[in-house]
């Protein structure tokens, strides 16, 4: 039996919400891509992350239907877990490239590039209530990030995410990569309130990189 940690990533200030994440700390226990995707499908989380080299921070991210070069919530979650074990990483290395990790109080941040985000569409709605009223999933094909300003002056966004890729994930509770893409498009830091109670914070930097950050909690005994 593969040893697994389950976390909730991008929790709200009250500890609610957060996107479930499976973490396999011993990636060598499941070396094959097909085996990894099969485990991700069995778990049914939006992503499961495999730590292949703890010293270098090399990781492999899988959805229930395939592999991702980059995703925010697995990297934030893994960084938090390693810190809780007394091994805080400075860098993680998914397939897309080198990701800087930062810790600030109760927040864990990872910094990446918007061009690493796999194809998805952001769609602005007139109000947060309009976003809340969307069916899960909305009609159509392809990855959709539906959003509206909740407080534009303060940079607060209401969002919901729909992968629409044919696997078990109908709605994604909290998505760091989509938050990064939206931040790039708006050109400003955001405070994103997503799903049923999650919060994703973002920052922009002059070199074009974007950081996504949030709170994490352990979801296993």
């Amino acid at each position: 039996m593969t040893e697994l940690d389950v976390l909730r990533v991008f929790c709200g200030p009250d500890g609610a919400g957060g996107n479930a994440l499976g973490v396999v700390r011993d990636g060598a226990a499941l070396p094959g891509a097909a085996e990894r995707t099969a485990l991700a499908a069995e778990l049914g989380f939006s992503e499961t992350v495999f730590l292949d080299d703890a010293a270098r921070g090399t990781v492999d991210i899988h959805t229930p239907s395939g592999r991702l070069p980059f995703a925010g919530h697995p990297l934030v979650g893994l960084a938090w877990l390693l810190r809780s074990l007394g091994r805080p990483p400075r860098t993680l290395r998914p397939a897309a490239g080198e990701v800087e990790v930062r810790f600030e109080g109760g927040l864990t941040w990872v910094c990446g590039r918007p061009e690493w985000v796999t194809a998805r569409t952001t769609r602005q709605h007139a109000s947060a209530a309009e976003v809340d009223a969307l069916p899960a999933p909305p009609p159509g094909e392809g990855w959709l990030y539906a959003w509206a300003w909740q407080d534009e002056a303060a940079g607060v966004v209401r969002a919901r995410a729909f992968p629409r890729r044919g696997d078990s994930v109908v709605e994604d509770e909290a998505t760091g990569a989509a938050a990064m893409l939206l931040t790039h498009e708006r050109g400003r830091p955001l405070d994103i309130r997503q799903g049923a109670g999650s919060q994703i914070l973002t920052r922009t930097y002059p070199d074009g990189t974007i950081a996504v950050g949030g709170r994490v909690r352990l979801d296993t005994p």
Side-chain angles (χ1 to χ4, degrees):
M1 179 68 181
T2 304
E3 188 175 349
L4 181 77
D5 296 285
V6 180
L7 312 177
R8 307 291 301 189
V9 183
F10 297 129
C11 298
D14 59 355
N19 197 5
L21 172 69
V23 180
V24 178
R25 280 185 267 157
D26 179 14
L30 278 178
E35 296 173 281
R36 294 179 175 192
T37 298
L39 176 61
E42 180 183 340
L43 294 172
F45 304 146
S46 58
E47 283 110 22
T48 298
V49 62
F50 299 82
L51 180 59
D52 287 328
D53 187 328
R56 296 194 70 252
T58 305
V59 303
D60 191 27
I61 302 167
H62 285 255
T63 73
S65 52
R67 186 171 184 256
L68 290 177
F70 173 83
H73 111 274
L75 298 175
V76 167
L78 177 60
W80 177 90
L81 178 63
L82 292 175
R83 186 194 193 194
S84 76
L85 297 170
R87 296 180 284 143
R90 297 180 62 182
T91 303
L92 291 174
R93 293 178 171 86
E98 191 170 289
V99 173
E100 182 182 352
V101 177
R102 301 168 189 163
F103 302 98
E104 296 177 10
L107 300 177
T108 300
W109 296 84
V110 299
C111 194
R113 309 200 67 87
E115 57 264 32
W116 292 348
V117 179
T118 53
R120 58 194 66 192
T121 299
T122 63
R123 181 173 300 154
Q124 184 175 5
H125 291 259
S127 67
E130 198 172 288
V131 173
D132 289 339
L134 291 171
E141 297 181 357
W143 222 109
L144 175 67
Y145 201 52
W147 71 278
W149 289 114
Q150 189 166 302
D151 182 340
E152 185 172 0
V156 180
V157 166
R158 172 64 178 142
R160 293 173 67 193
F162 307 99
R164 297 193 301 192
R165 61 190 172 215
D167 61 27
S168 60
V169 182
V170 176
E171 180 168 355
D172 206 342
E173 173 63 25
T175 50
M180 181 179 288
L181 180 61
L182 183 62
T183 299
H184 173 68
E185 291 176 350
R186 307 317 299 177
R188 59 181 291 190
L190 298 174
D191 176 351
I192 300 172
R193 312 299 174 91
Q194 189 177 323
S198 300
Q199 182 181 32
I200 307 167
L201 303 171
T202 70
R203 293 173 177 169
T204 59
Y205 295 98
D207 65 355
T209 60
I210 294 171
V212 294
R215 302 169 191 84
V216 184
R217 63 181 173 88
L218 191 64
D219 205 32
T220 49

